[in-house]
Amino acid sequence: MLELKIFSLRKNTDPPYEVIRDEIAPNSDGDLIVVEHRFYEMELHYKDEEIPIDFGLAIDGDLIDPLYLTKHEEEHYIKANMMQFFSNRLGYITIWFCGYEFTVRVDASKLTGSEAEQLFSYLYDKNKDLLLKFFSGEIKRTDKEREDEKPIEVEPKKTNELTLRNLGVIYDFLEVMEELYYDFWKLPHSIIRKKLVVEPYRARSVGSKSIEWLLSHLDEVHFDDSFAEWPEAIEVGTQYGVLDRVASEVNTHDYRTYENETILGALERVHEIINKVDEFLRSFLEGKNFESTEHANYKAVQFIFYKRSMDELEKLRNKFYAIEQRYTKLFEGVRPLNEYPKVTHVFLKKRHYSRVYTAICSMRQFVLNLNQSSVMNLNFLDQLYELFNYYRIIDVIKDYLKNQEYEIEFKHRKGMIHKYVCFTGKKNGKEWVLNMIYNPKIERDPGDTHLVLHGKVDKKNHYYTPDFVLEYSQKHDIRYAVIDAKYKRAKVVVEQDIKDAALKYYTCLRVFGTSHHLKPDFLWLLCPDSMQYPIWKLNYNEDFLPIIGVVESKPDSAKPLQQVIGKILNRWHV
C-alpha cells in the first residue's frame, strides 16, 4: 500500500547540535498537519507491484527540482530531501508525488489565530473581492513573477467554498427586480376577465348575473307599495322596491397570469436559498472559537469569512424583504409558481418581462453547494501581507493628517487596487503632494517615480520593484522613502534581507535630475513579528540620513508603523 511519510527537521540546541527528525502523525481527523516555515523531508513508500512510473514532485502545481529526489529501491521508497516545501501557504494543499496525489493541511506559522482574525477581517472590510480572489485560486504567478514576487490574475477556477461572493447571482437578480419595479408598476401584464362587482344601482348595468346576485341578497331591496310608480322600481312578485346597489359584471385587469406567478415564484426561491445559507452558517459558527490557536489554520480563516458572511446575509435578507413586499402588493392575489420558467409570448415581447425572464433563468441555474468539507487554501501569504500593509500605510497617513485639511485621490487602478494614492494639502501657504506608489517599476530612466537605477545594478534585473514608495514634493523639492513588506521572521529580515534591500533600494538608486545624486531618505522593511524591539534601525544616529531599519507591522498593533511613518512625514515637514 502506498504511504506518504513526512518528517519535521529541527536542530538540537545542545551539543553536538545534530538534526532531529520527527515523523508527522495524523491528527484525529486523519490529517497530516505541517507548518509553513519549517523544513521537512518526505518519503513515498511502496510495494514491489506499486513501483511508481513517474518521477517528480509538485506542491499545489509548483514543480520541485528533481535534484531534491532520491530513489531507495532496496527499501522501496522515494525520498524528497530537506526543503521548506510549504513556505508561504495556508490551508489544504495537494502534493503530487511520483504520479500519486496526497492532501496535507498547512498552518501559518507567523500568524496566531487572533492575528489571523484581525488581518482577514481588516482586509475583508478594505477589499473583500480581492481577498476572496486569493482564496478562490484566481491569483497565480508565473516563474518570472514568482522571482519578482508579483501576483498576476488569471481566469478563475471553480470553487465549492461558500462565500457571499458565490451568491453574486442572487444579488444580481435582486438588483434587476429592484431596477424594474417601476416598469412593472406602470405596465404590469394582466388578462381582461369578467368580475362581479357590487356598485351603485343603474338599470343599464343589470345583467343575468345581477339577477342571480339579487335573488340571494333580497335584503338589499327596499320594499314599499309607494314605489309602484317609480321608473327605477323593480317588481318582485307582487311587491315593488328600489335598490341602492347591485352586483354587475365588469371587465377588470386580472394579474393572475403565468408570468406574474413565475416572478413571485422566483422570489420565493431566493427566500429558500437565503434561509438555507443562514442555517448552514449558523451551524458552522455555533460554539467555535479559533482566536487562541498558536498557528492560524484554514478553519480559523473559514470561520472569519463565514462570520462576516452572516452580517452580509442579513443585509441581503433585508433587501429581499423590501423587494418581495413591493411585488406581492403589486401582484395582489397572485400565487407564486416556484419552478423554472417557460418561454412565453409575454416574456419574449415585453422588454421588462424579457429582462426579468433572463434574470430568473440565471438565478435558477445557480447551484447552492452547502458542504462543510469544502476547504480554502492560499499560496501567497506574502502577497496577502503586502495587501494588508498597503491599506495599513494609507490608514496611518490618514491618521497623521487628521488635524490638517487635505484631499485624497486614488489613481491608476492596477487590477483591483490603485497604483497611486495621492494626498495633497497646504502648509504655511505652500502646497505639498504626498504620493504612495504601489509596486513602482524603477529602471534606468524615470517612470513611475523619479527614482532611477544607479551604479552597479544586479545584472539579472533590469528594474527593481519595491512594494511601496512614499514620494513627497513641494515646488522643486522631492523626497523619497522606500518600504518593502517581508512575510518572514524578524531575525531573518534583520540578518539577511536588510543587507540586500540596502544595496538594491539605497546604494543602487538615486533621484533623477539632481546634480548631487540625491538618494532615498528612508528605507524600511516591514515584517509580522519582532526580535527584542518592534523597531530596529541599522544606523544609531537619526540626525543623519538615510535611516534604514526593520519595523514590526501586524494586525493587532499599528503603533510601530505609526511611529516610523510619523517620523518620515515630520522630517519632510508635512
Side-chain angles (χ1 to χ4, degrees):
M1 181 178 179
L2 283 164
E3 182 182 10
L4 175 68
K5 293 185 177 182
I6 301 178
F7 300 88
S8 174
L9 305 180
R10 56 189 175 87
K11 202 170 187 178
N12 197 338
T13 55
D14 300 321
Y17 308 109
E18 74 275 11
V19 174
I20 299 174
R21 194 170 184 258
D22 299 317
E23 183 176 355
I24 305 296
N27 69 354
S28 57
D29 295 327
D31 295 333
L32 290 174
I33 302 176
V34 296
V35 180
E36 50 146 340
H37 80 283
R38 292 179 184 167
F39 285 88
Y40 292 93
E41 289 180 343
M42 294 189 289
E43 294 177 359
L44 178 64
H45 290 256
Y46 57 88
K47 294 181 179 179
D48 287 337
E49 64 274 14
E50 300 171 327
I51 299 175
I53 300 174
D54 297 315
F55 187 72
L57 175 65
I59 310 294
D60 250 13
D62 292 333
L63 292 174
I64 304 299
D65 192 330
L67 293 175
Y68 281 92
L69 304 183
T70 55
K71 293 182 179 179
H72 298 263
E73 295 179 354
E74 293 184 2
E75 292 84 0
H76 294 83
Y77 73 90
I78 297 173
K79 180 179 180 181
N81 294 298
M82 184 177 69
M83 186 179 179
Q84 286 178 302
F85 294 103
F86 313 108
S87 180
N88 215 16
R89 302 175 190 274
L90 172 66
Y92 280 87
I93 66 166
T94 300
I95 297 175
W96 182 89
F97 202 159
C98 295
Y100 298 93
E101 286 190 359
F102 304 90
T103 301
V104 173
R105 194 184 99 185
V106 184
D107 289 354
S109 58
K110 305 176 191 76
L111 292 172
T112 64
S114 174
E115 289 171 345
E117 177 165 0
Q118 293 177 64
L119 184 143
F120 290 112
S121 295
Y122 180 78
L123 289 178
Y124 195 97
D125 290 333
K126 295 295 184 181
N127 197 332
K128 177 185 66 177
D129 289 338
L130 180 55
L131 179 62
L132 292 175
K133 271 181 174 285
F134 279 92
F135 286 96
S136 64
E138 296 179 38
I139 301 293
K140 292 288 185 183
R141 281 192 291 212
T142 64
D143 291 339
K144 179 66 174 72
E145 284 152 347
R146 191 175 291 109
E147 194 175 289
D148 295 335
E149 297 183 355
K150 300 299 170 226
I152 186 172
E153 294 177 18
V154 296
E155 290 298 317
K157 73 177 182 182
K158 291 184 179 179
T159 172
N160 289 330
E161 187 56 47
L162 171 70
T163 64
L164 289 200
R165 182 168 176 260
N166 292 343
L167 296 181
V169 67
I170 306 300
Y171 280 96
D172 294 341
F173 172 71
L174 292 179
E175 286 293 328
V176 171
M177 294 296 291
E178 189 173 43
E179 180 185 342
L180 294 178
Y181 172 74
Y182 286 104
D183 292 327
F184 283 106
W185 180 74
K186 289 186 290 186
L187 295 170
H189 176 59
S190 61
I191 296 175
I192 301 298
R193 286 194 174 101
K194 296 288 186 181
K195 184 179 181 181
L196 201 62
V197 177
V198 177
E199 57 185 8
Y201 174 75
R202 290 177 299 173
R204 63 178 180 272
S205 62
V206 175
S208 60
K209 295 292 183 182
S210 304
I211 302 301
E212 293 177 9
W213 178 86
L214 182 61
L215 291 176
S216 59
H217 293 80
L218 289 176
D219 56 319
E220 295 282 343
V221 184
H222 303 290
F223 290 101
D224 196 303
D225 291 339
S226 63
F227 293 144
E229 303 299 325
W230 281 38
E232 296 292 330
I234 61 172
E235 184 179 358
V236 180
T238 58
Q239 294 179 303
Y240 292 90
V242 295
L243 291 169
D244 292 327
R245 58 180 192 162
V246 70
S248 57
E249 282 188 320
V250 296
N251 291 330
T252 60
H253 291 279
D254 191 338
Y255 300 114
R256 291 175 294 172
T257 67
Y258 172 78
E259 292 78 14
N260 296 337
E261 290 172 351
T262 302
I263 290 172
L264 293 188
L267 288 170
E268 189 176 80
R269 174 58 183 158
V270 169
H271 196 190
E272 291 173 357
I273 292 173
I274 291 174
N275 286 340
K276 286 181 180 179
V277 174
D278 180 83
E279 183 181 350
F280 170 80
L281 291 176
R282 289 185 189 279
S283 66
F284 181 88
L285 296 172
E286 188 175 352
K288 289 186 174 65
N289 182 9
F290 298 95
E291 289 188 5
S292 59
T293 56
E294 180 185 358
H295 298 137
N297 58 57
Y298 96 93
K299 288 188 177 180
V301 179
Q302 195 177 37
F303 176 81
I304 295 159
F305 276 111
Y306 285 5
K307 191 176 179 181
R308 300 305 298 273
S309 293
M310 197 72 189
D311 298 335
E312 291 196 14
L313 190 66
E314 278 306 303
K315 295 177 184 177
L316 181 64
R317 188 192 296 277
N318 292 335
K319 184 182 182 75
F320 163 78
Y321 281 148
I323 293 171
E324 181 195 41
Q325 187 176 18
R326 296 173 83 180
Y327 276 90
T328 303
K329 187 176 181 181
L330 177 63
F331 298 138
E332 188 176 356
V334 177
R335 297 181 65 180
L337 183 62
N338 192 349
E339 62 180 33
Y340 198 91
K342 301 174 184 177
V343 179
T344 66
H345 180 79
V346 174
F347 278 141
L348 283 175
K349 297 298 181 181
K350 293 190 176 183
R351 186 190 64 83
H352 51 307
Y353 277 88
S354 179
R355 279 194 63 193
V356 83
Y357 171 80
T358 302
I360 291 172
C361 289
S362 297
M363 183 272 293
R364 287 198 174 274
Q365 288 169 1
F366 168 71
V367 178
L368 182 63
N369 187 355
L370 298 178
N371 180 9
Q372 286 201 16
S373 65
S374 61
V375 297
M376 294 177 166
N377 74 44
L378 175 64
N379 291 336
F380 309 119
L381 283 173
D382 59 342
Q383 293 295 317
L384 210 61
Y385 184 64
E386 180 183 302
L387 182 65
F388 161 75
N389 282 293
Y390 172 88
Y391 289 106
R392 176 54 63 85
I393 291 171
I394 293 172
D395 286 345
V396 167
I397 294 174
K398 286 180 178 178
D399 184 68
Y400 178 87
L401 298 172
K402 64 185 176 184
N403 295 323
Q404 300 185 38
E405 289 188 9
Y406 71 93
E407 294 181 358
I408 183 172
E409 183 180 3
F410 295 85
K411 298 180 180 179
H412 301 287
R413 193 173 183 86
K414 181 182 180 183
M416 299 184 73
I417 60 178
H418 292 85
K419 188 175 185 68
Y420 292 90
V421 183
C422 306
F423 299 85
T424 56
K426 278 187 178 182
K427 192 166 187 178
N428 300 324
K430 296 180 180 180
E431 291 187 358
W432 55 262
V433 177
L434 176 66
N435 294 322
M436 190 197 80
I437 308 162
Y438 172 64
N439 281 161
K441 183 181 284 189
I442 301 174
E443 303 176 278
R444 290 286 181 183
D445 297 312
D448 296 333
T449 72
H450 283 82
L451 289 174
V452 294
L453 299 183
H454 169 73
K456 294 183 179 180
V457 180
D458 184 357
K459 292 181 180 180
K460 293 181 182 178
N461 297 289
H462 301 291
Y463 59 87
Y464 289 147
T465 52
D467 293 332
F468 314 102
V469 165
L470 296 183
E471 178 186 74
Y472 171 75
S473 59
Q474 188 178 52
K475 287 190 175 181
H476 302 296
D477 187 25
I478 188 166
R479 298 283 179 175
Y480 284 98
V482 177
I483 302 175
D484 218 36
K486 299 292 183 183
Y487 183 69
K488 299 179 180 180
R489 294 289 186 191
K491 187 175 187 296
V492 176
V493 177
V494 169
E495 293 179 356
Q496 299 177 18
D497 292 294
I498 194 71
K499 299 173 185 176
D500 296 334
L503 176 65
K504 286 173 62 175
Y505 300 135
Y506 182 76
T507 305
C508 295
L509 297 187
R510 69 178 178 87
V511 181
F512 181 80
T514 54
S515 57
H516 50 288
H517 288 182
L518 186 67
K519 290 180 171 290
D521 293 337
F522 301 90
L523 168 61
W524 286 100
L525 303 187
L526 314 181
C527 60
D529 70 344
S530 61
M531 291 194 296
Q532 189 173 2
Y533 303 103
I535 299 175
W536 179 92
K537 292 186 289 294
L538 188 63
N539 43 328
Y540 296 98
N541 192 338
E542 293 191 24
D543 293 333
F544 299 97
L545 296 176
I547 294 176
I548 299 174
V550 178
V551 58
E552 178 186 65
S553 177
K554 59 182 184 178
D556 60 352
S557 177
K559 287 185 178 180
L561 190 60
Q562 286 175 332
Q563 292 178 27
V564 165
I565 291 182
K567 287 185 177 181
I568 293 173
L569 301 183
N570 189 55
R571 187 73 173 248
W572 290 342
H573 305 293
V574 177

